Structure formats: structure tokens, C-alpha cells
Amino acid sequence: MKAPAVIAPGILVLLFTLVQKSYGECKEALVKSEMNVNMKYQLPNFTAETPIQNVVLHKHHIYLGAVNYIYVLNDKDLQKVAEYKTGPVLEHPDCFPCQDCSHKANLSGGVWEDNINMALVIDTYYDDQLISCGSVHRGTCQRHVLPPSNTADIQSEVHCMYSPQADEERGQCPDCVVSALGTKVLISEKDRFINFFVGNTINSSYHPDHLLHSISVRRLKETQDGFKFLTDQSYIDVLPEFRDSYPIKYVHAFESNHFIYFLTVQRETLDAQTFHTRIIRFCSVDSGLHSYMEMPLECILTEKRRKRSTREEVFNILQAAYVSKPGAHLAKQIGANLNDDILYGVFARSKPDSTEPMNRSAVCAFPIKYVNEFFNKIVNKNNVRCLQHFYGPNHEHCFNRTLLRNSSGCEVRSDEYRTEFTTALQRVDLFMGQFNQVLLTSISTFIKGDLTIANLGTSEGRFMQVVVSRSGSSTPHVNFRLDSHPVSPEAIVEHPLNQNGYTLVVTGKKITKIPLNGLGCEHFQSCSQCLSAPPFVQCGWCHDKCVQLEECPTGTWTQEICLPTIYEVGICQLSPMPCPLLLDFFFFNFFKDFIYLTERDSQREREYKQGEWERKKQAPSREA
């Protein structure tokens, strides 16, 4: 078959000139190439009676901590298999935790309170058990022993975790764990013991007999009926005079190597009106919290302006965080190894002198090894100051003290003291301002091949998936409206390396299971956009639409080069030739060679692959 002659160069130049003149009339083409962000998906989901606060996964069951309920769902289609009612409960000044106070319902001073789930953790050291801590009964916890034969059974064996204190311990309540104002709890096994690391928001509304601590470490008793502090240094509290003016919000907690970390939002100083984000670190074996340190974290966006000046925008309020390993591409870009823990955070710009976020977000990645190196580098500099909200400006720790800590390890020394660093560790927005008109409220990540993929949620209930990369801007390859409620920071990623991997996403009363391999390809409306999707999504252009591999008949894939789409634009008005004839002429003469050569190469490739397959099929096995 003879290839036809190509279009004359002069005519080609004329046509491109006409197209350039009518550039402003090509908006329709651009709109048609955008992703359809209004797609509706049928995904496994469950709607609770009340808002969901916490989610944990254990042995193919999903446990939900919600207001007044704990639910158990199966992990396949999120069908409810059990529930346990935790409230409302009658709170009375004369009623201790674990007591049945129903007989005091008619007495003055009694109030029925909703039980908000503040913490939900799984412990497998003693037994498989679910520990839930609520906002009622002074922030105490219950443990639900999970039978080996039926880990969905959260009702058969439930124990209240509260022991009245002896006379000499009246001033303590190690069983008062969580705060109704906000809590983060991290559980860790150390030296055959179970430790609870707790960060609480507290204020002056907590009276003296309701002893909650700002940050603490406590040990689960071997009798499992409550907790104990190992020393009188096992907790730190914001001083009473600062509790209302200096609130601390604990956003996230995690463990990495030998350290425990908390992420907080708080005022920059006792007297400041502005807020920022801090990372707290101390040794996991330090029951006296002597190795406690704080340091600001900043996620910044830099913008080069005229005259070589650079404007730096700080996203000061952490909204959500997630810790996981990086993919090979991102690891190389940020100077990390594949086994390094990376702290991913979504930050927002706050309104002036407030923690209320604006619709302006950034995403930053902090390799934990860099966090530790930064602590170590600045530990003996002049940017160290006293934690005045814990000690007050006149405490002995705040005068003439030399920092004696070797912060690179966890050799705990009793002469160490808690310290605040004023120099912030900065990282640059990974998406270069792409989310500067949206409030991100959730993040989790997973790896596919060499790529790092982020699951992002927004305040408007949208869910997105996007490749994380510092080399050029990545646009989300998944973007749809999940719910009308904001996406919760609580997120779980399961089986990320598996074809059946999924993430659990909470929005208000609803939890949804979303596959990690994407949600199909139909939301891509153009060939070029279709083929720009990440490889693991397996999208291709087939019969004028974007579909996944198995949805396209064999041999009908369009080549990996998309043919341009010609729209009726100003060129038609500028040419004396009738528009349909002009477009036909342009398309036929310019693209017929390309189509012919592409189809020929495609046919040759199919014949070659078919021949290879036949040869392999007929070849004797080498193992025979």
C-alpha cells in the first residue's frame, strides 16, 4: 500500500497561523479535556447512628468508635456484624467511674451526657482486646476482650478500667486518661509492658478531682484493671493560670525507632496571638519524660518575584498527618532511603491570630531522620528556651541551666530537662501551590511501583488521589465528591502492595472503602488525559473513551500517542473555504500519513507479540 503524499509546507504554515490567531476561541476544547469531577461511584460504605471519631482494623474486622456506640464491620463490604452501646450515661458528682448511677437519675446534680469516643486502640500482648476511652466517667477506659473464635464479639467480656486510689495517692488518677476537649493516644509495647502515651487538651473547666494531664506516659497494670504512673515525673501539665489562654491541640501521635512523637498546634509563645505547629519528641523508654523536646515545623510555599526577590508563605496550622515509607522516586527527590519513615502533613493558612483554617493548603514531607538531625544540630545553640507554659517564667529550669542532653540517643539522664527550640524545621510544599484554594483535612499514602501516591480529603467532602513528586506538578488522577461532610483526619490504608488494597475514609457518620488502584478511567474525558494517568491505574483510550485494560477488546487499543481533536474555532471564519471542507482537508492531508504509519507499526507489533507467544507456547519447558 502506497503512503499518500503529505500536505504542502506552505499550507501547513498558513493553517497553524490561522489557528494561532483564533487561540481565544479554543476554550471549548480545553473544557472538553478536563476530568469529570462529578462522577458518582458505588462504593462499600456504612452509616452510623452518630458521628464517627476513631477507626481501627484487626483480623478482617473494622472497629468504629462513635458517639455512644462502638461498631464492628466486616472488611469486605462494610456490613455491620456487631455494636455496643456506650452512652448516654448519667454523670453525677457522687458517682465514680464503673458504678451504676441509674438510681441517682432523679437526684439534683445528675446530667445525662453523650459518650464521645476519644481513643480506640487494639492490644494483642495479653489478649486480643479492644480498649475504648470515652469523654464520660472522668475520661476512663473500657477493655473488650475479643474471643479467638469470634473477634467481632465486643459484648461478652467488657471490663471497666478504674481502680479507686489509696489514701496516699488521692492526688492522682492514672485511670483518668482522655479529655473531652481533644486527645491523642499511642499504645506501645516496651520490655514486656504496655505503655500508653497520651496528649490531652485541658482547660480550667477540669476541677481538681478530675486529674487529667497535658502529656503523660502510663503503664497498663498486669491485672489490666487500670493504669499506673511509674514516677511523679511521668506527666507534664500546662500551668492552671495558662490553661485557658494557651490551649494545646494534639493533632497526631506516632512512634519511630526509639522515639515517641506528638504533633501539636499552639501559640508561638505565652504572649503571642499567632499560632504555629510543633513536633514533640521524647524517648520511648523515658518514663520520666526527661528527654522531652519541642520544635516548630513549617510547611512553606516560595514564590519567585521580580528583581529576584522571593516571597515565602507559611502554612502554619497542621490539619492531618500520616507516617509511612516513600516510593523510590520520591525517596530520591527528598534524600531519603526506601526504609526511612516519612512524616506527611497537610497544613493550612489560618485566619489572623486564630487556629481557624482558611481554604488554602499545602502538603509537606518531613523525613524523620532529618527531624532527628535537626534536633541534634540545634541542641546546643542559643535558640533553646524554657517551656514557660509548663514551668512559668520564674522556674529554676528557666535560669542559668546548661543543656546536658545528648539528643541523638535515648540514654536517659535524670539531670536532663524539658526544652523548647525556637528555630523551625522548614519543608517546601510538594505541590507548589496547587491546593491554595482548598482546605485539605486528611492525608494517607501508599506505594505503587516506584511511585508514592497520596490520598487527600477536603473540607467539602472530596476525595483525591495524586502522585507525590517534587519534579513538576502532579494533578489528581482521582477526584470526586464523597460526601457533604469534611473528610476526617482518621484514615487507614490496608494491603497497599496488593491488588485488593484499599483505604477507609470517614466523613461524619459515614465510612467508605475506596480501592487504591483507582476508580476506573471513565472520568478522564480526553485521550491525552487518559494516557497521563499513573501506570497502575491501567487506563487506555479505546473507541473514543477512556477504559481499563480488561474493558477494551483485544487489539483495539489506540497507540500511546493521542490524535488531536479538531474543534470548530475561528479558523473557519478566517478562511474563504467552507469550514467543514477546510477541516476535512486539514485533517485528511495532515494526519493520513500519521494514521497510516501508526496503524502499520501497531499491526507489526501485534504480529510480533502473537509470534512470540506462539513460539513460547510451542517451546519445550526448560525445567522439564
Side-chain angles (χ1 to χ4, degrees):
M1 183 180 193
K2 184 179 179 181
V6 296
I7 190 169
I11 297 177
L12 184 60
V13 171
L14 171 64
L15 289 173
F16 276 124
T17 302
L18 294 174
V19 169
Q20 286 178 339
K21 288 182 179 179
S22 58
Y23 174 77
E25 301 180 39
C26 292
K27 291 182 179 179
E28 182 184 358
L30 182 62
V31 170
K32 289 184 179 180
S33 71
E34 289 177 352
M35 182 190 299
N36 180 3
V37 297
N38 298 313
M39 291 281 289
K40 303 293 184 182
Y41 299 99
Q42 295 298 320
L43 298 168
N45 66 83
F46 169 77
T47 302
E49 295 285 333
T50 55
I52 299 167
Q53 286 83 45
N54 290 293
V55 184
V56 292
L57 186 62
H58 177 62
K59 292 184 177 178
H60 302 292
H61 285 113
I62 299 162
Y63 302 84
L64 305 181
V67 177
N68 297 331
Y69 291 92
I70 297 174
Y71 297 95
V72 185
L73 316 177
N74 68 44
D75 66 348
K76 183 179 180 180
D77 55 7
L78 272 57
Q79 293 297 304
K80 183 177 74 173
V81 293
E83 74 176 37
Y84 182 84
K85 205 166 189 302
T86 62
V89 301
L90 181 69
E91 295 274 66
H92 193 278
D94 299 331
C95 191
F96 287 94
C98 303
Q99 285 184 332
D100 182 5
C101 296
S102 57
H103 62 283
K104 298 185 178 182
N106 296 323
L107 299 179
S108 62
V111 179
W112 287 95
E113 296 279 2
D114 284 332
N115 191 1
I116 303 169
N117 185 264
M118 304 307 300
L120 194 69
V121 296
I122 290 285
D123 166 39
T124 59
Y125 183 73
Y126 292 106
D127 303 291
D128 280 13
Q129 55 187 359
L130 179 74
I131 298 178
S132 63
C133 310
S135 59
V136 299
H137 291 325
R138 306 185 188 179
T140 54
C141 306
Q142 289 183 320
R143 64 184 185 94
H144 307 251
V145 178
L146 307 176
S149 59
N150 181 14
T151 54
D153 183 1
I154 58 172
Q155 304 184 58
S156 297
E157 192 176 346
V158 182
H159 303 276
C160 182
M161 303 177 73
Y162 177 80
S163 304
Q165 300 301 297
D167 289 341
E168 65 270 16
E169 299 175 337
R170 284 292 181 188
Q172 293 299 332
C173 182
D175 297 329
C176 299
V177 179
V178 300
S179 166
L181 299 176
T183 290
K184 284 298 166 188
V185 173
L186 183 69
I187 185 174
S188 177
E189 179 193 334
K190 292 297 174 189
D191 300 325
R192 296 177 289 108
F193 292 103
I194 302 300
N195 291 335
F196 274 55
F197 301 95
V198 185
N200 280 324
T201 302
I202 57 176
N203 64 16
S204 59
S205 67
Y206 283 100
H207 37 80
D209 63 342
H210 194 158
L211 290 172
L212 288 175
H213 300 288
S214 297
I215 197 155
S216 61
V217 52
R218 67 197 74 205
R219 178 166 292 174
L220 178 63
K221 293 179 181 178
E222 293 182 52
T223 55
Q224 301 186 73
D225 58 350
F227 301 88
K228 62 180 178 182
F229 295 121
L230 296 184
T231 76
D232 60 0
Q233 299 291 309
S234 295
Y235 44 84
I236 315 175
D237 298 323
V238 173
L239 293 173
E241 59 265 35
F242 302 130
R243 290 182 184 174
D244 292 333
S245 62
Y246 196 85
I248 300 176
K249 179 182 179 181
Y250 292 85
V251 180
H252 191 71
F254 65 96
E255 182 175 8
S256 179
N257 293 326
H258 304 297
F259 291 104
I260 302 295
Y261 300 83
F262 282 86
L263 296 165
T264 68
V265 170
Q266 57 199 83
R267 294 190 188 277
E268 292 187 5
T269 66
L270 274 181
D271 301 322
Q273 296 301 307
T274 52
F275 289 82
H276 67 174
T277 298
R278 294 190 190 179
I279 186 166
I280 295 167
R281 191 193 78 170
F282 54 88
C283 296
S284 60
V285 295
D286 179 10
S287 58
L289 297 176
H290 298 289
S291 57
Y292 182 100
M293 295 190 286
E294 294 185 3
M295 177 176 65
L297 287 185
E298 289 184 351
C299 186
I300 63 172
L301 174 63
T302 58
E303 178 185 337
K304 291 185 179 180
R305 312 178 83 178
R306 292 182 180 179
K307 298 181 180 179
R308 298 183 180 179
S309 65
T310 301
R311 185 175 69 92
E312 184 177 281
E313 185 176 9
V314 178
F315 293 78
N316 56 318
I317 304 297
L318 180 70
Q319 299 297 299
Y322 192 79
V323 177
S324 63
K325 310 296 183 184
H329 286 169
L330 181 64
K332 184 177 180 180
Q333 291 169 357
I334 63 177
N337 297 320
L338 297 182
N339 291 323
D340 287 345
D341 283 337
I342 309 297
L343 167 64
Y344 301 92
V346 292
F347 294 76
R349 290 269 294 176
S350 71
K351 294 182 178 179
D353 301 337
S354 168
T355 59
E356 184 180 351
M358 298 187 292
N359 290 341
R360 195 165 178 81
S361 303
V363 181
C364 283
F366 299 83
I368 299 303
K369 68 177 182 182
Y370 290 164
V371 173
N372 294 332
E373 288 174 6
F374 203 76
F375 270 123
N376 301 341
K377 287 177 182 177
I378 67 175
V379 74
N380 291 314
K381 300 283 182 69
N382 294 324
N383 51 5
V384 178
R385 69 183 174 202
C386 174
L387 288 161
Q388 295 190 3
H389 52 287
F390 288 146
Y391 295 112
N394 299 319
H395 194 277
E396 62 175 359
H397 282 329
C398 300
F399 294 102
N400 300 322
R401 292 295 301 267
T402 301
L403 189 63
L404 301 174
R405 178 177 307 115
N406 173 12
S407 64
S408 61
C410 272
E411 299 81 16
V412 178
R413 299 169 49 164
S414 60
D415 58 356
E416 295 177 340
Y417 70 102
R418 296 108 183 209
T419 307
E420 172 189 341
F421 300 101
T422 58
T423 302
L425 173 58
Q426 292 185 330
R427 302 293 283 184
V428 177
D429 178 19
L430 290 167
F431 295 104
M432 297 178 288
Q434 182 179 159
F435 298 107
N436 61 5
Q437 293 184 336
V438 63
L439 175 57
L440 297 176
T441 56
S442 175
I443 184 170
S444 62
T445 66
F446 61 99
I447 298 170
K448 284 294 180 182
D450 291 336
L451 300 178
T452 306
I453 314 298
N455 300 312
L456 300 174
T458 78
S459 61
E460 296 181 342
R462 299 199 74 86
F463 176 84
M464 296 178 284
Q465 281 185 347
V466 59
V467 175
V468 182
S469 175
R470 292 186 65 177
S471 58
S473 60
S474 300
T475 56
H477 57 271
V478 171
N479 184 350
F480 70 101
R481 184 76 173 271
L482 181 61
D483 200 353
S484 59
H485 297 280
V487 178
S488 167
E490 298 297 320
I492 288 180
V493 173
E494 184 67 1
H495 307 306
L497 301 179
N498 193 308
Q499 280 296 107
N500 297 319
Y502 61 89
T503 179
L504 297 172
V505 181
V506 173
T507 50
K509 301 178 183 179
K510 183 179 177 183
I511 182 169
T512 305
K513 179 180 177 181
I514 303 176
L516 297 180
N517 283 344
L519 290 163
C521 306
E522 292 184 16
H523 52 286
F524 298 119
Q525 298 184 104
S526 71
C527 178
S528 58
Q529 193 177 57
C530 175
L531 298 184
S532 68
F536 70 90
V537 183
Q538 295 189 320
C539 289
W541 194 252
C542 179
H543 297 306
D544 296 327
K545 65 180 180 178
C546 192
V547 299
Q548 289 187 308
L549 278 172
E550 65 271 13
E551 298 174 14
C552 189
T554 305
T556 58
W557 283 104
T558 300
Q559 287 293 293
E560 294 296 301
I561 301 173
C562 296
L563 299 180
T565 301
I566 306 300
Y567 293 92
E568 189 173 315
V569 291
I571 187 174
C572 300
Q573 285 74 36
L574 296 172
S575 169
M577 188 184 298
C579 188
L581 182 59
L582 174 66
L583 291 176
D584 287 345
F585 176 81
F586 176 80
F587 182 81
F588 177 78
N589 287 284
F590 182 69
F591 292 111
K592 58 187 174 183
D593 278 29
F594 173 78
I595 296 171
Y596 166 74
L597 294 172
T598 299
E599 285 297 315
R600 183 194 65 186
D601 291 343
S602 176
Q603 179 64 28
R604 287 178 177 177
E605 182 180 3
R606 287 196 294 270
E607 290 173 354
Y608 173 80
K609 289 182 178 179
Q610 180 68 18
E612 282 289 293
W613 184 82
E614 291 290 346
R615 284 192 291 274
K616 288 180 180 179
K617 184 178 177 182
Q618 296 171 7
S621 172
R622 295 189 178 183
E623 296 179 359

